[in-house]
Amino acid sequence: MNKMLAGLLGPLLLCACASPATETPLPWAPQVVRGQLANGLEYRLVRDASQVGRLDLRLTVRAGSVDEDDDQVGVAHMLEHLTFRSRAGQAVDLRAQMTELGWVQGRNFNAVTSYDRTQYLLSPMAGSTQTPLALEKLAQLVFAGDYNALDLERERPIVIEEWRGGLGVAQRMNDQRAATQRVGSRYPQHRTIGNEAAIRTASLSALQRFQQRWYVPNNMILSVVGDFDPQQLAQQIAQAFGGPAAQELPTRDHRELPLDDTLKIFRLQDPQTGSNQVSLLFRLHEPDSRGSTAEASRERLIDRITLSALLAQLRLQPLQPGVRSLTVQKTLIGEQSSVLGVAAGVDGAHHDEALKQVLTELERLRQHGLTAQDLQREQAKLRQLADGMLAKDESRTFEQWVTSLNDAAVQNRPVVAPHQIAQRTLRALDSIDLAAVNARLNRWLDSPDQVLQLTAPGNSVVRLPSVKEVQQLRTTIAQTSLVAPVTAAPVAPPSITFTPASAGQPGSVVGKRVFAAELVEHWNLANGDRLVWLRRNAEDGKWRLQAESAAGFNRSDVPAWRLQMAAQLGSVSGGEGLEAWRKQHKATLSLEHSATRLQLSGTSPASNGALATLLQSYRQSQVGAVIDDELFSEARDDLLSRVSTRPDAIAAARREVRYGADSWQAPDQAALEQLQPGTLTGDWQQLVKAPVTYYLMADIEPAQLDALVREQLANIPRGTAHPTLPALQQPGQRLRDIAVALEPRVVLEASSFSEHPWTPEAAARVAALRDLANQQLKQRLRGEASGVYRLRFDSELNPDTQRIESQLSFTCDPRRADELWALAQQTLAQLGHSVDAKWVASARNELRRQEKARLTDPATQWRRLLLSERQWQDPRYLSRQARLPDGLRIELIKPLASQVFPASNQVLLRVLPKAHAQ
């Protein structure tokens, strides 16, 4: 499903729009080579050689769970699993065949099912040199169909575990929302995963019937991006996919919402949800806004303008007591169905008041309509976006082409050149007047098919109104002459103009050291701070600054929550009007505060003036900064509102089992009520006294940088940093069970560590072992034991702790928890047995491939500079990184395998079902 939201944080995406006078579809971008085989299979190809030899194939089967018959619940997704059990005439199944090629599931091949499609994804290890083989395997996946009843029984437990892993409060609430939003349709009964009973009883014949009906070439689209010759690839596609014959496809009316033109009222509730909301949904059919014609595109543009203006209006209206927020979103379903949802956030049990405000605001808009000002504002936003598209070149990265072709296949639309979209959008905007926008709004709000959802938190009691009561309230409001909606006032210039305080007498740079090979310089400042300067530009040609100190929050003398609060507020304080000034000059700073480190970061355009402003912005937070009273009150009130929330028992148990005790101190009501802004100001001023290392990534002239550093940084007064402690897992074995889950599953979270000095080469070896461990765990626990679906194993050599730190988590049937945990332990203990010359060579080749991009990637080079400086106080990592793949040697990796998850330090948390759920 596609979801269209108005007024989100990001800009609205432009639809492809044109004058209403033409019905001509927009042309495809010229880079896309399209074709269709005689049997109806479509293909779209884009040659992109920017990543030499890379190949990405995606086959979309336009069939998903909503296309199932009543006796086929869950089979669309189960079939996706069973296709990998097909053998295509070979002795072993396709998954084993692809694994034998060195392809890794999840990295080189995968599949996914949704309501309306199933997709198969291939990115072969050897790239385009394996094109014929990749096409052959892809075709065999969808056409072979020679799995059998034994294969189904082997795969059934895995699908059960996938279902089990998706259980939880989020899924339960999503099911309720879908069931009420799409009431009367096939969707609620045909969740993509199905249900436990359907999975356990699905028959082989049901899967085969689904495949025979929908897995036909004229119901498929193949999208390919990579380093290939399009003409040659088209011939290879015909050879791999041309054999199967086209078949007549059934109608798909079941994908649409059946409208009954009545109001339906539902309660949405779960013991573990905190959601509190009233939502009024308008369901309707809008065929005119679908399709690829210019007129359909113009209709979608009217939709977008109307939706964004509606949201803006709702957000401007004064909220009534008990109402926390007003918002709107629009969901597209099938080929012509849509749902407009207007929602009010509720405080406490004020659902009646929230419903009244929703109905009142919608009636207000009916009576007065959207305004010319609304239309002009939305048109201006879209013009600005279109102009921005025209100002950029039309090139796309490899990943962007993959996304563009994939979206086109999923949404049944062409891939259009950005400039053409922008040009037609600009022309179309002038054809949309206020009458068209208000007509669209009224059509939505006049839809007689409506759903009212009342969502309540926990077990709170909420009375559902009757249909008659809602209609009477609506009639009463409609008979009232309502005042016009509040409109946005013209933006006035800020009453306070911020001027950065004078930096005073410049400081001095007392020493410089040049590392020519790495393009790095070290500058020592007179106040004890250091500058590490990498003389190259960051991403998008910008300059990047990070100020880092040892002022962490894990101290013995001040509660961690108070230091975190001081840092969050102190970093945005520094004088009245400062934040507006920072936004105006694009000199905002981001904060990262950990147990042992405090970081303030920002970027600037590549100019001396912009960098000077960024340094001024940083300085304001360091010298004499006083925490703003208003910011303090807002933050304290927010904490007070959450202080009575039930503590997270699972998080507390996790800390206890890992660290030996739960030492986290959450703020209580008394501490918050007694807290004063002056206390936090003192905490912040103490934090900023810690000496700082500045990391700068900028191709700037040394003399200009020298002047800026002396003026803005070298004279900031510093002192000493208070000692902090890292959060370290304690040695030994520990087990903790906590029975709080409502679902019939166990969640296992395990961790372990071993001491090991950090080097880039050792970190790369640990990363390779992490990937191997994931493969082995999935093979043993999923492939052989059929006991889990998703599991996560993560391991890294942490440079801050000089430890290999590893975590394993998975969900499973409570009856198999002990068995599967023992199997996981055994698999990790025997990890070294899988470290052979073939695997090491494969891992080395994969790392070489990845390093080709990393060596020129500014973000990677930035991270490696920081790692090197923290470890050795010099940039040597940058000059030795080209040799990283050579460090993957069997004699170094094999002994390291035993240190990845040592039994002596394994701790385990098990989240068990409550007694009634077992």
Side-chain angles (χ1 to χ4, degrees):
M1 297 305 113
N2 298 323
K3 197 172 279 189
M4 181 166 61
L5 305 179
L8 296 180
L9 294 177
L12 293 172
L13 296 177
L14 291 179
C15 54
C17 303
S19 162
T22 176
E23 286 296 317
T24 305
L26 284 170
W28 284 70
Q31 296 92 332
V32 182
V33 176
R34 295 187 299 137
Q36 187 171 33
L37 303 185
N39 60 12
L41 182 136
E42 297 181 52
Y43 58 84
R44 291 92 180 260
L45 319 176
V46 171
R47 182 181 183 275
D48 186 325
S50 61
Q51 299 184 36
V52 177
R54 185 175 173 187
L55 184 68
D56 185 282
L57 306 96
R58 303 195 176 204
L59 182 65
T60 301
V61 183
R62 291 183 286 194
S65 61
V66 77
D67 299 307
E68 300 163 344
D69 290 339
D70 290 342
D71 64 344
Q72 293 179 322
V73 172
V75 303
H77 173 253
M78 293 190 75
L79 175 60
E80 171 222 304
H81 280 248
L82 264 294
T83 58
F84 288 92
R85 294 279 189 179
S86 293
R87 293 163 182 78
Q90 301 299 311
V92 296
D93 64 33
L94 288 168
R95 179 181 285 108
Q97 293 176 38
M98 290 188 283
T99 301
E100 183 63 26
L101 291 167
W103 300 358
V104 178
Q105 185 164 3
R107 180 194 301 165
N108 303 113
F109 65 94
N110 214 340
V112 62
T113 305
S114 67
Y115 276 129
D116 56 4
R117 65 188 178 277
T118 307
Q119 287 189 302
Y120 294 87
L121 301 80
L122 273 183
S123 183
M125 176 75 74
S128 55
T129 61
Q130 293 182 311
T131 299
L133 189 58
L135 290 169
E136 176 187 277
K137 295 307 173 190
L138 202 53
Q140 290 170 347
L141 277 170
V142 294
F143 293 135
D146 57 351
Y147 47 85
N148 56 39
L150 182 58
D151 295 323
L152 176 58
E153 294 313 312
R154 288 171 175 165
E155 198 70 23
R156 201 187 301 273
I158 295 173
V159 181
I160 286 288
E161 291 311 315
E162 184 177 358
W163 163 82
R164 195 189 309 277
L167 298 177
V169 60
Q171 184 60 61
R172 293 194 298 271
M173 291 302 297
N174 284 338
D175 287 347
Q176 292 184 53
R177 292 187 188 101
T180 55
Q181 181 201 60
R182 305 177 188 211
V183 61
S185 73
R186 191 182 287 189
Y187 290 94
Q189 287 73 43
H190 290 266
R191 285 181 55 207
T192 300
I193 191 65
N195 57 66
E196 183 180 13
I199 296 169
R200 293 192 184 280
T201 59
S203 67
L204 182 65
S205 63
L207 272 70
Q208 292 170 334
R209 280 191 290 113
F210 188 90
Q211 185 169 17
Q212 291 161 5
R213 175 181 292 178
W214 298 108
Y215 275 53
V216 294
N218 49 310
N219 197 37
M220 296 179 180
I221 300 174
L222 177 63
S223 306
V224 189
V225 180
D227 186 6
F228 53 76
D229 174 71
Q231 185 175 358
Q232 182 183 31
L233 180 57
Q235 296 171 353
Q236 294 168 333
I237 292 170
Q239 183 175 355
F241 287 90
Q247 295 182 29
E248 184 177 352
L249 291 168
T251 60
R252 306 182 195 234
D253 296 340
H254 54 264
R255 294 189 172 199
E256 307 305 326
L257 297 180
L259 306 182
D260 59 16
D261 295 345
T262 65
L263 172 65
K264 299 157 283 289
I265 303 176
F266 300 96
R267 178 189 293 110
L268 281 60
Q269 197 163 14
D270 186 274
Q272 293 182 336
T273 186
S275 297
N276 204 15
Q277 185 171 274
V278 169
S279 303
L280 183 59
L281 314 181
F282 300 86
R283 311 196 313 168
L284 60 162
H285 291 163
E286 298 181 290
D288 293 345
S289 63
R290 304 298 181 92
S292 58
T293 67
E295 177 60 19
S297 299
R298 178 178 179 274
E299 289 292 305
R300 290 195 292 272
L301 186 58
I302 296 174
D303 284 349
R304 196 172 294 278
I305 290 172
T306 308
L307 191 61
S308 183
L310 172 58
L311 178 64
Q313 283 283 17
L314 290 174
R315 286 180 168 171
L316 286 170
Q317 306 318 304
L319 299 175
Q320 300 303 307
V323 181
R324 188 173 61 252
S325 62
L326 290 170
T327 189
V328 63
Q329 78 174 29
K330 194 160 185 276
T331 304
L332 307 181
I333 300 169
E335 296 300 319
Q336 62 174 346
S337 301
S338 59
V339 179
L340 177 78
V342 182
V346 180
D347 284 329
H350 294 279
H351 292 76
D352 290 343
E353 290 84 350
L355 174 60
K356 183 177 180 181
Q357 177 150 27
V358 167
L359 294 175
T360 300
E361 299 310 331
L362 295 182
E363 177 58 31
R364 195 188 312 278
L365 285 165
R366 278 195 187 92
Q367 293 182 15
H368 297 279
L370 297 168
T371 67
Q373 180 184 350
D374 294 324
L375 176 60
Q376 292 164 6
R377 181 186 65 248
E378 300 305 327
Q379 287 177 321
K381 286 159 55 177
L382 289 170
R383 284 195 179 94
Q384 182 180 19
L385 186 55
D387 289 339
M389 291 171 66
L390 290 172
K392 296 180 180 178
D393 66 60
E394 296 190 292
S395 63
R396 306 186 204 204
T397 65
F398 190 103
E399 290 74 16
Q400 287 170 336
W401 275 120
V402 170
T403 300
S404 296
L405 287 187
N406 188 69
D407 290 348
V410 167
Q411 300 172 12
N412 192 27
R413 61 169 178 78
V415 176
V416 183
H419 284 186
Q420 189 160 49
I421 296 175
Q423 290 163 357
R424 295 200 177 193
T425 297
L426 290 170
R427 291 196 297 269
L429 281 173
D430 293 329
S431 74
I432 298 172
D433 57 18
L434 186 59
V437 172
N438 277 317
R440 183 61 42 86
L441 177 63
N442 289 329
R443 188 173 83 187
W444 291 346
L445 301 185
D446 289 342
S447 173
D449 190 302
Q450 300 175 17
V451 174
L452 177 62
Q453 300 171 331
L454 274 71
T455 307
N459 295 313
S460 60
V461 178
V462 174
R463 185 191 71 87
L464 284 185
S466 66
V467 171
K468 182 178 180 180
E469 288 175 317
V470 175
Q471 301 295 30
Q472 286 178 341
L473 177 59
R474 195 195 306 264
T475 300
T476 300
I477 295 171
Q479 292 172 349
T480 305
S481 180
L482 300 172
V483 299
V486 173
T487 59
V491 179
S495 58
I496 299 172
T497 300
F498 179 81
T499 301
S502 171
Q505 186 68 26
S508 58
V509 178
V510 296
K512 295 181 181 180
R513 183 182 179 189
V514 177
F515 299 85
E518 295 88 359
L519 298 178
V520 170
E521 291 189 22
H522 284 182
W523 294 9
N524 294 321
L525 311 187
N527 62 350
D529 289 351
R530 298 172 62 241
L531 173 70
V532 177
W533 172 30
L534 176 58
R535 193 169 181 178
R536 58 173 291 180
N537 290 338
E539 303 93 313
D540 300 323
K542 293 184 177 180
W543 291 350
R544 184 170 184 173
L545 174 74
Q546 179 169 303
E548 180 177 298
S549 75
F553 60 71
N554 194 20
R555 286 168 35 185
S556 59
D557 58 332
V558 182
W561 66 265
R562 205 179 85 189
L563 290 174
Q564 288 177 308
M565 189 176 180
Q568 290 165 6
L569 298 180
S571 62
V572 295
S573 297
E576 200 168 14
L578 173 60
E579 277 306 286
W581 177 85
R582 281 174 168 157
K583 291 177 182 178
Q584 177 186 353
H585 293 278
K586 297 181 180 179
T588 56
L589 300 167
S590 62
L591 168 76
E592 288 188 35
H593 201 192
S594 68
T596 58
R597 187 176 292 136
L598 188 148
Q599 297 171 191
L600 285 171
S601 307
T603 60
S604 76
S607 74
N608 295 336
L611 180 59
T613 302
L614 184 63
L615 296 181
Q616 284 180 316
S617 174
Y618 170 76
R619 181 184 176 84
Q620 301 310 304
S621 68
Q622 303 292 295
V623 181
V626 175
I627 288 176
D628 181 79
D629 287 349
E630 186 175 347
L631 289 176
F632 169 79
S633 296
E634 290 177 1
R636 185 176 64 173
D637 290 347
D638 179 61
L639 284 174
L640 281 169
S641 69
R642 291 187 279 134
V643 84
S644 60
T645 304
R646 184 173 55 187
D648 188 338
I650 296 176
R654 186 181 295 120
R655 291 190 294 267
E656 181 178 325
V657 73
R658 184 168 296 178
Y659 305 124
D662 182 14
S663 59
W664 174 255
Q665 294 179 333
D668 56 29
Q669 184 170 347
L672 286 170
E673 288 177 344
Q674 295 169 11
L675 188 63
Q676 297 297 319
T679 302
L680 293 185
T681 293
D683 290 338
W684 174 242
Q685 292 177 350
Q686 193 180 72
L687 288 171
V688 300
K689 285 192 176 298
V692 166
T693 296
Y694 300 100
Y695 296 96
L696 177 67
M697 193 172 185
D699 188 6
I700 182 176
E701 287 300 319
Q704 295 167 338
L705 178 60
D706 186 282
L708 289 174
V709 168
R710 292 174 186 271
E711 179 183 348
Q712 298 294 336
L713 302 181
N715 53 3
I716 296 176
R718 300 297 187 194
T720 57
H722 281 257
T724 59
L725 297 172
L728 292 175
Q729 178 176 321
Q730 295 302 299
Q733 298 178 324
R734 290 177 295 281
L735 168 66
R736 175 71 190 275
D737 288 341
I738 178 169
V740 296
L742 299 181
E743 303 82 22
R745 68 177 185 183
V746 170
V747 179
L748 291 95
E749 298 182 2
S751 61
S752 186
F753 74 91
S754 61
E755 308 290 344
H756 197 287
W758 183 89
T759 67
E761 296 80 8
R765 290 191 279 270
V766 171
L769 286 168
R770 175 196 63 212
D771 294 343
L772 177 63
N774 270 294
Q775 296 173 32
Q776 293 293 309
L777 287 165
K778 289 174 182 177
Q779 174 62 27
R780 298 289 304 279
L781 274 70
R782 174 179 171 172
E784 297 174 13
S786 299
V788 306
Y789 175 69
R790 291 187 184 90
L791 66 77
R792 176 182 174 84
F793 180 78
D794 194 20
S795 184
E796 71 161 344
L797 179 50
N798 188 333
D800 291 333
T801 63
Q802 302 289 305
R803 286 178 168 187
I804 300 174
E805 298 174 341
S806 305
Q807 295 85 37
L808 168 67
S809 63
F810 61 86
T811 62
C812 67
D813 186 330
R815 294 168 295 186
R816 301 192 66 187
D818 292 338
E819 167 204 350
L820 294 169
W821 167 237
L823 183 57
Q825 289 178 297
Q826 180 189 74
T827 302
L828 290 168
Q830 298 173 350
L831 187 61
H833 297 174
S834 300
V835 177
D836 56 23
K838 180 180 179 181
W839 174 80
V840 172
S842 174
R844 189 185 301 121
N845 288 336
E846 175 63 18
L847 183 57
R848 283 200 180 103
R849 185 190 68 80
Q850 294 172 352
E851 284 297 303
K852 287 180 182 178
R854 292 171 180 166
L855 290 173
T856 57
D857 175 48
T860 300
Q861 297 306 299
W862 172 260
R863 287 192 298 271
R864 290 178 175 178
L865 173 66
L866 268 62
L867 286 168
S868 188
E869 292 288 341
R870 291 169 183 166
Q871 178 71 13
W872 298 303
Q873 292 76 56
D874 65 49
R876 70 183 73 171
Y877 190 177
L878 299 186
S879 56
R880 64 195 258 186
Q881 59 183 324
R883 303 191 297 272
L884 271 182
D886 298 332
L888 295 186
R889 304 203 304 271
I890 191 168
E891 68 272 17
L892 297 174
I893 297 180
K894 201 172 185 70
L896 195 63
S898 62
Q899 296 181 253
V900 168
F901 205 73
S904 58
N905 288 326
Q906 287 174 9
V907 298
L908 175 64
L909 171 67
R910 301 193 300 184
V911 182
L912 307 174
K914 289 185 175 180
H916 65 78
Q918 294 187 31

